[in-house]
Amino acid sequence: MIPKLHYISQGKTPEEHLENIQKACTSGAELVQLRLKNVKKSVVLKTAEKAREITGHFQTRLIINDHYQIAKEVKADGVHLGKTDADPAVARKFLGDYYIIGGTANTLDDCLALVKKGVNYIGLGPFRFTTTKENLSPIIPLIGYQSIVEELKSDTPIIAIGGITIDDVLEILKTGVYGIAASGEITKDFNKINAFHKLLKASSTNEQPWDRETNF
């Protein structure tokens, strides 16, 4: 099952990322994405290993941003690939069918391409400008999300991303998206994870089926 709430890690150092992942898991997060940028691959690997220990203890799913080889090495649950990262088809061939693969999209065409490549979910945004990403595409208004969901006509879950706050959730859900990815809003107050869950009604009965046979 793919949870409706994705927590994307933040921190000035790898240690801060791990501290925040720990807090997220303690607060009930069901899926966290380790997102380290501009650091050596060896640092990503070491941090991912520690993140896997933390998430494994809480039975929280772990997604590694960009590094699909590391995702497999640490036995994470999957990988999230940005538009300038590896091709999802290449990652799928390397990982096999039982890993979650997510991809970033900014337009309907992006979404269509990701669906063809067989991703498990699409991170669509940005809903709002943020300071955590560079070279962002124009923001997507609510009507833009609704239009893309309606035109895409796909069962692939759409996760809204980009500066989303707790006050945005209900309006975003009205567009037909499946779930929400949040970073800054949760990092400021991990108690908001429970509030997000209530708004998203993120029970197992409402989640997108996921067929990975082994949970690490």
Side-chain angles (χ1 to χ4, degrees):
M1 312 295 274
I2 295 177
K4 291 175 177 285
L5 177 64
H6 296 198
Y7 170 63
I8 302 174
S9 70
Q10 278 191 352
K12 295 180 180 179
T13 65
E15 290 74 22
E16 286 188 9
H17 277 263
L18 291 171
E19 289 174 7
N20 288 331
I21 287 173
Q22 174 85 37
K23 292 175 182 177
C25 291
T26 302
S27 301
E30 296 177 340
L31 183 150
V32 299
Q33 180 190 139
L34 173 64
R35 186 178 186 273
L36 285 175
K37 293 294 184 181
N38 303 316
V39 299
K40 294 181 179 179
K41 191 173 181 179
S42 60
V43 175
V44 177
L45 174 58
K46 184 177 180 180
T47 308
E49 289 173 340
K50 294 179 179 179
R52 176 72 284 185
E53 291 179 7
I54 295 169
T55 56
H57 176 75
F58 288 92
Q59 296 186 325
T60 301
R61 296 185 187 111
L62 175 65
I63 302 294
I64 306 297
N65 185 278
D66 184 4
H67 300 276
Y68 64 89
Q69 301 99 330
I70 289 177
K72 189 170 186 177
E73 186 168 349
V74 303
K75 297 183 179 179
D77 295 284
V79 64
H80 182 89
L81 301 171
K83 294 180 69 175
T84 59
D85 296 335
D87 188 306
V90 173
R92 177 65 71 198
K93 185 175 181 180
F94 180 83
L95 293 172
D97 294 334
Y98 301 120
Y99 280 77
I100 297 172
I101 295 180
T104 297
N106 306 124
T107 65
L108 173 61
D109 286 343
D110 291 341
C111 291
L112 289 168
L114 288 171
V115 169
K116 287 182 179 179
K117 291 180 182 295
V119 298
N120 298 101
Y121 73 87
I122 296 170
L124 178 62
F127 177 74
R128 184 178 287 116
F129 287 121
T130 71
T131 59
T132 58
K133 284 197 174 186
E134 300 176 354
N135 302 319
L136 286 174
S137 297
I139 62 172
I140 301 176
L142 290 170
I143 192 170
Y145 275 98
Q146 183 174 343
S147 176
I148 289 174
V149 170
E150 291 176 352
E151 292 186 53
L152 188 60
K153 297 178 181 178
S154 171
D155 292 331
T156 304
I158 300 294
I159 305 293
I161 60 174
I164 295 170
T165 71
I166 197 76
D167 295 329
D168 299 320
V169 175
L170 291 179
E171 290 301 315
I172 291 176
L173 290 179
K174 290 178 183 178
T175 68
V177 302
Y178 174 78
I180 300 290
S183 187
E185 180 81 341
I186 289 176
T187 303
K188 293 174 185 176
D189 181 2
F190 286 94
N191 290 323
K192 286 188 176 180
I193 287 177
N194 186 50
F196 269 106
H197 281 161
K198 288 181 178 178
L199 290 173
L200 291 164
K201 296 181 180 179
S203 66
S204 59
T205 57
N206 290 325
E207 291 176 348
Q208 181 74 17
W210 173 52
D211 61 359
R212 185 171 179 180
E213 294 177 347
T214 304
N215 290 320
F216 297 101

